């Protein structure tokens, strides 16, 4: 196992973070964030390194890494697309957004494209319910999404390089929702016929 | 009456600059903390108590009373945590405050810190809040540069440091003792209470945890006085509250309402009503954890603690989710059951297993393979969860489950494979009615 290493500037950042807290282990989450930003993901070697810095076991670090959903235990795509699937977003068409990404990239939620460009994930409410549907792409929110906006966005992302500190959200105009009623494959209409259809299968 | 008064005025008046210290001070910002520093800590606590301010994070506990539980002159340090984890589905009001008025949150934290004799305070952001975090950090830097934080704030002898902390994706880190565990660098698994955080919280020391909106309200109260605040709202629900509104409505967004505002008037006038061609199926008024209200229950309902309780729901976090009549209640419950099953921290068997079972049973019904027995089973499981676990996440699953089945039985029956005896189902629901909130 090659020992884990971070650039000197990141190590200095880690030490500054630890110094902020009355107890070393309290710096766990921010330190793991620094590691993930620098290394792209959190490897077992990185967990050992963090444990040594924080004065706790690698097992304690691993328990934390596996508990919190934003930490990646394996490499992910350059662009991590995390689409909210929770109620307000589902009510406003999150399913159509996720389906468009699946079709365009040929991957299912949880998977990464073969070229390592994109990872798709379904995530829970991101506190943007009034501008639903929405997703987080790396650190940035994109709100009021539509399948068409996904098309344009994927093209734009594919040719560009992630900037780790680019966080200002992109809030599109609320789309024309005249067709709202027809937006949903899962509707009361389906509810009424769904039982019989499933029976027939 | 729905005009912003206390929490949103600054942000709405000065869009694009309200987050800056200069803009905040131009409208009287940081006057309240100066006043607080000239008061005794007991007097600050008393003023907040008198205002009737209740916690805006979900539980509605009186804020001044919470502060008064902190033991005076304790040996160990006292800590303050601002809960900016905002993860309750349907809730996005703290985000609005942090992006548009971070100095109000910071000033509220300063006042709370002075009131409980705290010298190191934390603001815990959910990990996804990169942009609110950036705005907040800039605000903190401005405050340090001015000497508003650090040694002897505002020329007083009170030293005060703030640490900005952030999570990494876990709804349960929003629960106060889950947050303490998380801040200590562990899994966000809630603790058994007692001991309560006021006695033994962060780093085993007395700790106050307040929601972002709660703290952002404090400067106004201290500056204008408890009586001025108590003039807004109703006898028992004082002041104003933020409501974050979503769903198929004309004007979603964050609104500040005086407590006691009429729910239907809010929907029709302020939110612009439903989108064209969509009828109202129901409203979850206080975040996904509280029971849904049918249109009948919405009519005449008042948006305050007592008013919503009287209708069998709660203010919760103020996450106002409007549901259109184009979706099935089964879809809604499945969506939420998936959320709670995913977010259960797994410590308590009824919650860990129960959330998953409910999700599976609802899924089975949606696929057309469910039966009356499955519906009865969901109700039984809910009964085994509510009030029987370490934290309220299990209740937050049980409430929507019972409420959706109780209020939309036809939606569920329509999807079941066999016939459903509606009277028998109603009787099953009746046996679980005690789980739901009711007027006290
Ligand atoms: C499962 C669960 C999740 C919670 N999430 C949050 C949250 O995201 N933000 C919040 O302020 N309170 C949340 N709470 C409530 C907190 O436990 C706590 O009551 C609150 O932060 C106290 O602040 P307040 O008195 O100012 O409302 C949650 C509670 C539970 C049971
Ligand atoms: S009720 Fe659920 S979320 Fe809360 S402590 Fe128990 S298992 Fe964890
Ligand atoms: S439900 Fe998607 S952001 Fe809240």
């Amino acid at each position: 196992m090659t020992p884990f290493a971070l650039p000197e500037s990141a190590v200095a950042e880690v030490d500054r973070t630890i110094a902020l807290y009355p107890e070393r282990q309290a710096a766990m989450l921010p330190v793991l964030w620094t590691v993930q930003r620098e290394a792209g993901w959190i490897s077992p070697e990185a967990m050992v390194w963090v444990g040594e810095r924080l004065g706790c076991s690698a097992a304690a670090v691993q328990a934390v890494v596996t508990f919190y959903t934003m930490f990646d235990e394996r490499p992910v795509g350059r662009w991590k697309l995390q689409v909210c699937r929770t109620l307000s977003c589902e009510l406003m068409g999150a399913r159509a957004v996720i389906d468009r990404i699946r079709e365009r990239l040929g991957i299912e939620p949880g998977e990464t494209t073969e070229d390592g460009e994109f990872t798709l994930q379904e995530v829970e409410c991101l506190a943007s319910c009034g501008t639903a549907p929405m997703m987080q792409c790396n650190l940035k929110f994109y709100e009021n999404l539509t399948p068409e906006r996904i098309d344009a966005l994927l093209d734009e992302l594919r040719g560009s390089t992630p900037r780790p500190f680019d966080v200002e959200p992109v809030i599109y105009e609320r789309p024309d929702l005249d067709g709202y009623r027809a937006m949903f494959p899962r509707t009361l209409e389906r509810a009424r016929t769904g039982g019989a259809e499933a029976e027939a299968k | 009456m729905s005009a912003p008064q206390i929490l949103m005025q600054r942000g709405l008046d000065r869009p694009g600059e309200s987050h800056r210290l200069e803009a905040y001070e131009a409208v009287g910002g940081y006057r309240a903390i100066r006043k607080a520093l000239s008061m005794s800590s007991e007097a600050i606590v008393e003023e907040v108590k008198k205002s009737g301010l209740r916690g805006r994070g979900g539980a509605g506990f009186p804020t001044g009373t919470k502060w008064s539980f902190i033991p005076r002159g304790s040996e160990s340090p006292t800590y303050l945590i601002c809960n900016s984890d905002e993860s309750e589905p349907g809730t996005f009001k703290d985000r609005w405050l942090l992006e548009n008025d971070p100095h109000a949150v910071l000033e509220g934290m300063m006042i709370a810190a002075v009131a409980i004799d705290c010298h190191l305070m934390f603001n815990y952001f959910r990990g996804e809040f990169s942009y609110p975090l950036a705005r907040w950090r800039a605000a903190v830097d401005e405050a340090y540069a001015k000497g508003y934080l650090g040694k002897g704030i505002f020329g007083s002898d009170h030293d005060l440091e703030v640490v900005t902390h952030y999570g990494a994706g876990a709804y349960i880190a929003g629960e106060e003792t889950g947050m303490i565990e998380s801040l200590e660098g562990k899994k966000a698994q809630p603790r058994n209470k007692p001991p309560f955080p006021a006695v033994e919280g962060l780093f085993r020391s007395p700790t106050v945890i307040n929601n972002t909106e709660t703290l952002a309200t404090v400067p106004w109260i201290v500056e204008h006085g408890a009586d001025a605040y108590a003039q807004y709202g109703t006898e028992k629900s004082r002041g104003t509250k933020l409501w974050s509104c979503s769903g198929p409505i004309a004007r979603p967004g964050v609104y500040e309402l005086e407590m006691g505002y009429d729910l239907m008037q809010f929907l029709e006038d302020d939110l612009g009503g439903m989108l064209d061609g969509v009828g109202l199926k129901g409203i979850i008024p206080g975040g996904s954890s509280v029971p849904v209200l049918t249109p009948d229950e919405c009519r005449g309902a008042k948006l305050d603690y007592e008013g919503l309780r009287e209708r069998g729901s709660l203010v919760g976090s103020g996450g106002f989710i409007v549901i259109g009549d184009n979706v099935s209640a089964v879809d809604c419950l499945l969506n939420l059951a998936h959320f709670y099953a995913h977010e259960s921290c797994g410590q308590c068997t009824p919650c860990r297993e129960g959330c998953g079972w409910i999700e599976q049973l609802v899924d089975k019904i949606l696929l057309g393979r469910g039966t009356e027995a499955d519906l009865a089973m969901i109700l039984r499981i809910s009964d085994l969860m509510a009030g029987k676990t370490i934290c309220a996440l299990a209740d937050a699953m049980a409430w929507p489950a019972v409420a959706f089945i109780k209020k939309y039985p036809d939606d569920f029956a329509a999807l079941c494979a066999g016939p459903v005896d509606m009277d028998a189902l109603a009787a099953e629901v009746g046996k679980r009615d005690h789980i739901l909130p009711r007027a006290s």
Side-chain angles (χ1 to χ4, degrees):
Chain A
M1 172 158 114
T2 35
F4 180 77
L6 281 183
E8 237 169 72
S9 61
V11 175
E13 179 184 320
V14 163
D15 288 338
R16 276 198 308 275
T17 304
I18 294 172
L20 293 173
Y21 295 85
E23 296 182 3
R24 292 182 80 83
Q25 194 178 332
M28 178 79 80
L29 298 182
V31 167
L32 285 170
W33 271 116
T34 303
V35 168
Q36 180 155 304
R37 191 189 70 221
E38 293 295 324
W41 61 297
I42 301 173
S43 62
E45 295 78 14
M47 295 182 204
V48 172
W49 186 88
V50 170
E52 280 165 4
R53 288 272 153 178
L54 298 182
C56 62
S57 68
V61 180
Q62 189 189 20
V64 169
V65 173
T66 53
F67 186 85
Y68 296 89
T69 54
M70 295 183 82
F71 292 136
D72 295 310
E73 293 157 76
R74 59 191 64 81
V76 292
R78 277 196 329 141
W79 298 106
K80 189 157 88 168
L81 311 177
Q82 300 186 295
V83 188
C84 173
R85 60 151 297 279
T86 317
L87 188 56
S88 304
C89 281
E90 170 155 337
L91 291 176
M92 299 311 290
R95 202 42 53 195
V97 166
I98 294 168
D99 283 346
R100 182 62 63 98
I101 300 176
R102 286 174 50 234
E103 285 159 20
R104 281 282 313 254
L105 300 180
I107 51 173
E108 293 302 312
E111 295 177 354
T112 301
T113 54
E114 258 170 41
D115 60 7
E117 281 291 285
F118 295 101
T119 296
L120 171 62
Q121 291 174 353
E122 286 181 13
V123 297
E124 303 297 341
C125 180
L126 293 177
S128 313
C129 328
T131 42
M134 63 81 64
M135 72 171 173
Q136 178 172 14
C137 173
N138 295 3
L139 294 182
K140 199 169 162 136
F141 285 12
Y142 291 85
E143 307 174 32
N144 280 328
L145 288 173
T146 61
E148 295 70 37
R149 284 168 182 167
I150 287 293
D151 285 342
L153 193 56
L154 290 180
D155 291 339
E156 183 191 318
L157 293 177
R158 198 180 281 281
S160 47
T161 306
R163 288 178 295 155
F165 297 102
D166 181 13
V167 296
E168 188 164 348
V170 175
I171 306 178
Y172 298 103
E173 284 282 302
R174 201 174 193 220
D176 176 14
L177 289 163
D178 282 352
Y180 176 77
R181 237 200 133 76
M183 267 163 78
F184 297 91
R186 288 162 140 206
T187 60
L188 259 193
E189 277 65 30
R190 187 194 132 173
R192 288 204 189 90
T193 56
E197 271 169 25
E199 196 88 329
K201 273 188 202 147
Chain B
M1 185 151 105
S2 68
Q5 298 125 359
I6 292 170
L7 285 153
M8 292 182 76
Q9 199 76 58
R10 285 178 300 270
L12 293 176
D13 280 354
R14 300 192 156 202
E17 50 174 310
S18 57
H19 58 287
R20 297 188 198 287
L21 186 131
E22 213 186 357
Y24 185 61
E25 291 203 301
V27 291
Y30 290 114
R31 274 208 298 252
I33 175 65
R34 290 184 170 93
K35 181 173 173 188
L37 283 164
S38 72
M39 297 162 70
S40 72
S41 54
E42 287 84 357
I44 304 172
V45 173
E46 209 39 56
E47 197 68 18
V48 173
K49 250 192 200 172
K50 217 169 74 179
S51 75
L53 175 65
R54 291 162 69 170
R56 305 300 194 220
F61 193 83
T63 305
T65 308
K66 184 184 276 191
W67 295 1
S68 71
F69 291 153
I70 293 291
R72 299 273 143 198
S74 92
E75 289 278 295
S76 45
T78 306
Y79 296 113
L80 170 72
I81 307 174
C82 174
N83 188 342
S84 300
D85 194 55
E86 192 163 61
S87 310
E88 170 84 358
T91 315
F92 48 99
K93 48 143 189 131
D94 297 338
R95 174 184 170 191
W96 193 95
L97 287 171
L98 293 161
E99 288 182 2
N100 295 290
D101 210 5
H103 282 289
V105 179
L106 182 55
E107 188 177 7
M109 288 177 70
M110 290 172 175
I111 296 169
V114 170
I116 63 170
D117 195 23
C118 155
H119 301 278
L120 177 58
M121 57 188 192
F122 298 85
N123 195 355
Y124 186 120
F125 286 70
R126 64 178 299 177
E128 296 88 344
F129 266 0
S130 304
Y131 187 59
L133 189 77
R135 282 264 166 109
W136 164 262
R137 286 217 152 116
V140 166
D141 288 347
E142 286 178 316
Y144 267 111
K146 282 266 213 167
Y148 294 178
L149 285 166
K151 287 251 170 280
I153 62 168
F154 298 92
S156 72
D157 58 3
H158 195 102
D159 300 341
L160 184 58
E161 305 287 340
V162 63
V163 171
T164 304
H165 194 81
Y166 43 102
Y171 170 62
I172 197 59
E175 197 277 343
E176 53 185 8
T177 55
M179 179 160 285
I180 289 171
E181 288 285 306
S182 183
L183 237 171
E184 291 181 355
K186 296 177 258 177
K187 296 190 273 186
Q189 290 186 317
R191 297 176 179 172
N192 263 309
K193 290 178 262 190
F196 289 93
V199 176
E200 196 181 315
L202 185 63
F203 308 126
R204 298 160 304 284
S205 293
T207 303
V208 162
I209 300 179
N210 274 129
N211 171 257
T212 314
E213 180 187 346
T214 313
L215 289 165
T217 312
V218 167
W220 197 98
I221 293 174
V222 169
E223 192 187 345
H224 298 88
D227 294 335
Y229 187 75
Q231 275 179 1
Y232 292 104
T234 69
E235 173 67 28
K236 286 187 176 160
S237 297
R238 301 278 174 79
T240 65
K241 160 99 192 83
L242 298 185
W243 300 86
S244 59
C245 308
S246 61
I249 46 179
R251 290 193 289 275
V254 183
Y255 292 79
E256 179 172 4
L257 298 183
E258 199 174 334
M259 287 285 190
Y261 199 72
D262 185 82
L263 191 156
M264 285 312 266
Q265 188 187 342
F266 182 43
L267 177 66
E268 296 302 334
D269 298 351
D270 302 86
L271 302 179
M274 305 294 292
L275 290 177
D276 281 348
V278 190
L280 175 65
K281 181 176 191 111
I283 295 177
I284 303 177
S288 66
S289 301
V290 311
V292 61
L293 298 174
T294 62
D296 269 349
E297 290 168 324
C298 289
R299 274 184 273 280
K302 299 289 178 231
L303 290 170
D304 61 52
Y305 293 102
E306 291 69 37
L308 287 177
R309 222 169 219 288
E310 190 224 306
R311 300 291 163 123
S313 194
L314 298 166
V315 165
S317 61
F320 192 91
I321 308 172
V322 180
I323 301 170
D325 63 356
N326 59 322
V327 294
S328 165
V330 186
D331 278 317
C332 297
L333 181 56
L334 179 62
N335 185 290
L336 295 182
H338 182 88
F339 172 82
Y340 291 105
H342 183 259
E343 299 298 337
S344 167
C345 85
Q347 286 188 99
C348 320
T349 309
C351 174
R352 182 186 62 239
E353 303 300 330
C355 292
W357 288 340
I358 291 179
E359 184 190 358
Q360 285 167 27
L361 288 165
V362 180
D363 197 29
K364 186 176 164 194
I365 292 167
L366 193 76
L367 290 171
R369 290 199 288 268
T371 62
E372 191 177 332
D374 293 320
L375 285 171
M377 183 60 86
I378 295 173
L379 295 167
R380 249 190 70 203
I381 295 167
S382 303
D383 207 350
L384 294 171
M385 293 169 69
K388 298 183 177 66
T389 54
I390 294 176
C391 88
L393 188 141
D395 304 72
M397 173 76 267
W399 286 338
V402 176
F404 272 113
I405 296 176
K406 171 179 173 171
K407 298 176 188 193
Y408 306 97
D410 293 342
D411 281 17
F412 288 85
L415 283 174
C416 281
V420 175
D421 178 341
M422 299 309 278
D423 292 336
L425 180 59
E428 279 297 317
V429 169
K431 277 191 253 168
R432 271 78 198 198
D433 227 19
H434 62 274
I435 297 173
L436 297 178
R438 63 194 57 241
S440 35

